[in-house]
Amino acid sequence: MGRKSSIDRMTPEVKAYIQAMLATGSQTLDELIADLQQRFPAEASAGELPSRSALHRYGAKLDRRLSAIRASTEAARLIQAHAGDDKDARSEALTAMVQTELFDAILLLQEADDPEADPAERVTLLSKAAKNIATLTRSSVNLKQFQAKVEAEARKRALADAAATAETTAKAQGLSAGGVAALRAAIMGAM
């Protein structure tokens, strides 16, 4: 595992301030450095503030994370707006995204050809991934069962509504009680 970035090694107060400033994008890197030197003079005098390149690398990494969060949030919003969420479509989308990421990570791990890689660490990583995949798969199965139940209940309600409407219309048209019962049974039998 690589060394922590200089920003990750900062005090929580300094790190949180850097993250907030980078996330808002309200300052250039040079302005941020000057601001940090004024706000945190003890760290500045000890030479503990990050360099411009460290801020740039950390900012790019933070931006990728924030972009992924924004994309996931927007996807969930779209799913809710266009599909409702009676069937928990957001969870289904989230599960699919996690499954895709885990699959990609395992492929990268398998393709890694680092001669210095510790085989025991690789087995540990694969074991953790397998455990998480099993949990994710159980979650996916439970979600599909829930969705099937919601669909069945919705279909049953729709058929009951259709049968009630047909029964009312048939009675109004003078259909016999036996005919009305047969019509209702035919509609409800479609379940």
Side-chain angles (χ1 to χ4, degrees), residues 13-36:
E13 179 187 12
V14 175
K15 182 179 175 183
Y17 184 76
I18 290 171
Q19 287 174 337
M21 291 297 102
L22 289 172
T24 62
S26 61
Q27 299 176 328
T28 67
L29 292 178
D30 292 327
E31 291 170 339
L32 179 55
I33 289 170
D35 186 26
L36 288 170

Side-chain angles (χ1 to χ4, degrees), residues 1-190:
M1 180 177 231
R3 201 174 87 153
K4 280 186 171 183
S5 76
S6 58
I7 295 172
D8 285 330
R9 294 189 310 261
M10 307 286 324
T11 63
E13 179 187 12
V14 175
K15 182 179 175 183
Y17 184 76
I18 290 171
Q19 287 174 337
M21 291 297 102
L22 289 172
T24 62
S26 61
Q27 299 176 328
T28 67
L29 292 178
D30 292 327
E31 291 170 339
L32 179 55
I33 289 170
D35 186 26
L36 288 170
Q37 290 170 344
Q38 286 180 342
R39 284 187 183 272
F40 305 102
E43 286 84 352
S45 65
E48 294 177 1
L49 290 178
S51 66
R52 187 178 197 287
S53 61
L55 284 170
H56 176 73
R57 283 190 306 272
Y58 192 82
K61 184 172 130 184
L62 183 63
D63 190 47
R64 283 190 303 274
R65 285 181 182 162
L66 291 174
S67 292
I69 291 169
R70 280 191 291 273
S72 296
T73 302
E74 183 60 24
R77 223 180 272 132
L78 287 171
I79 289 168
Q80 184 178 20
H82 297 291
D85 207 18
D86 292 344
K87 293 176 25 177
D88 203 10
R90 285 176 291 199
S91 291
E92 184 175 22
L94 182 60
T95 299
M97 288 170 34
V98 171
Q99 285 172 330
T100 301
E101 287 295 319
L102 280 171
F103 183 76
D104 290 345
I106 288 173
L107 285 178
L108 288 173
L109 186 60
Q110 286 178 339
E111 292 171 1
D113 218 8
D114 185 1
E116 295 179 20
D118 180 12
E121 185 177 336
R122 185 178 172 135
V123 168
T124 301
L125 288 173
L126 285 171
S127 174
K128 286 179 183 178
K131 181 179 179 187
N132 290 328
I133 289 167
T135 301
L136 190 59
T137 302
R138 270 192 309 281
S139 170
S140 181
V141 167
N142 289 338
L143 178 61
K144 298 245 184 284
Q145 288 172 343
F146 171 75
Q147 289 172 330
K149 181 180 175 185
V150 168
E151 268 183 39
E153 289 172 0
R155 181 174 163 85
K156 187 176 183 178
R157 276 193 308 272
L159 287 173
D161 290 346
T165 301
E167 183 177 343
T168 303
T169 304
K171 284 180 182 176
Q173 294 298 317
L175 190 62
S176 69
V180 170
L183 179 62
R184 182 171 191 63
I187 292 172
M188 293 306 288

